[in-house]
Amino acid sequence: MTDRPLDGRIAVVTGASRGIGFVLAREIARAGAHVVAVARTVGGLEELDDEVRAFGGTTTLVPLDLTDYEAIDRLGAALYERHGRLDVLIGNAGILGPISPLGHVAPKDWDKVMAINVTANWRLIRSLDPLLRRSDAGRAVFLSSGAAHRVRAYWGPYAISKAALETMVETWARESEITPIKANCLNPGPLRTAMRAQAVPGEDAETLDRPSVLVPSVMRLLSPSLEISGRVFDHPTGEWIA
């Protein structure tokens, strides 16, 4: 049982076709959960399914653009019809947006960052909260960033969106205090991902850890024994920072 701590659980993972989301979806499946893998890229989802099937795990692949908010509602309805509950939600999908002075950010770029990093996660909460309440230990983890706390010039849209995400998750956690839901954010720190390469193009990727180092931290946050909610877990230090 210790090798499969999520045995029998139903888990939704967004941004599951690559990077952190891919690794977390695969390892959550390895821990025994049936993973509902959500992403836009069908090829990446199919690669995930191949890897999960290779060790005997199971997935449901959901090609979905998270700015299609009505599709998120349909996902909630489909999960209710098929499973009747949800045990795990990993809100991983996000975009960096422009690194630019705030006054130079195009409105369409601002709107896209907020749509994916904030509004899509709110729609997930709105649609999946009733299902998580039906679990005996609903657990939600949203990927945030140290940028939400270390304010720097030119990182406005991304940092602001992650600060908003953290406030939103804390609000939901407080509203869910008498339910089985525990909802937290996770700061992964600098990892070898496509987003990191986009943000810091001159950095030597070989100096960075791979996303797989996050797995123990995530499993801790998904544990049915977890009592903490509405906080931010800082993976690099192993401490709760907010």
Side-chain angles (χ1 to χ4, degrees):
M1 184 65 181
T2 55
D3 293 334
R4 293 173 60 89
L6 300 178
D7 197 37
R9 298 304 215 187
I10 309 299
V12 167
V13 181
T14 69
S17 63
R18 66 176 185 172
I20 293 173
F22 184 101
V23 169
L24 294 185
R26 183 186 64 205
E27 297 310 310
I28 288 170
R30 196 189 303 275
H34 175 78
V35 172
V36 180
V38 178
R40 291 182 302 168
T41 308
V42 174
L45 290 176
E46 291 175 342
E47 181 181 346
L48 171 68
D49 186 57
D50 289 342
E51 291 198 15
V52 170
R53 286 177 179 271
F55 57 72
T58 61
T59 64
T60 297
L61 305 184
V62 183
L64 187 154
D65 185 331
L66 287 175
T67 61
D68 184 350
Y69 302 136
E70 291 185 358
I72 293 176
D73 291 342
R74 292 194 295 271
L75 172 63
L79 288 170
Y80 176 78
E81 183 175 339
R82 181 171 180 180
H83 301 291
R85 74 179 202 281
L86 180 66
D87 303 297
V88 169
L89 168 60
I90 304 290
N92 163 75
I95 62 170
L96 178 65
I99 304 295
S100 168
L102 277 174
H104 295 176
V105 176
K108 64 179 179 61
D109 293 331
W110 173 275
D111 289 346
K112 186 175 182 180
V113 171
M114 295 302 158
I116 296 173
N117 294 1
V118 183
T119 304
N121 284 311
W122 166 66
R123 294 297 295 248
L124 285 165
I125 291 171
R126 179 177 179 271
S127 295
L128 302 182
D129 170 90
L131 294 171
L132 286 162
R133 288 172 182 254
R134 294 173 68 91
S135 172
D136 62 340
R139 298 291 180 263
V141 178
F142 293 83
L143 273 290
S144 188
S145 169
H149 302 271
R150 296 188 297 273
V151 177
R152 292 185 290 175
Y154 312 121
W155 282 65
Y158 181 73
I160 292 165
S161 72
K162 291 301 185 180
L165 174 66
E166 291 185 7
T167 299
M168 180 170 66
V169 173
E170 182 178 357
T171 300
W172 180 37
R174 293 190 179 191
E175 293 170 351
S176 305
E177 287 178 349
I178 62 171
T179 78
I181 297 173
K182 305 296 181 187
N184 293 290
C185 288
L186 170 67
N187 171 31
L191 298 177
R192 196 182 309 184
T193 64
M195 183 184 292
R196 179 72 183 185
Q198 180 186 357
V200 191
E203 187 173 46
D204 181 2
E206 295 298 321
T207 65
L208 301 176
D209 287 330
R210 295 183 182 275
S212 57
V213 301
L214 285 180
V215 173
S217 291
V218 171
M219 291 302 170
R220 174 180 175 181
L221 298 180
L222 299 183
S223 172
S225 64
L226 180 76
E227 294 296 332
I228 296 172
S229 192
R231 303 280 301 281
V232 179
F233 186 76
D234 185 58
H235 168 75
T237 63
E239 298 178 353
W240 296 95
I241 60 174

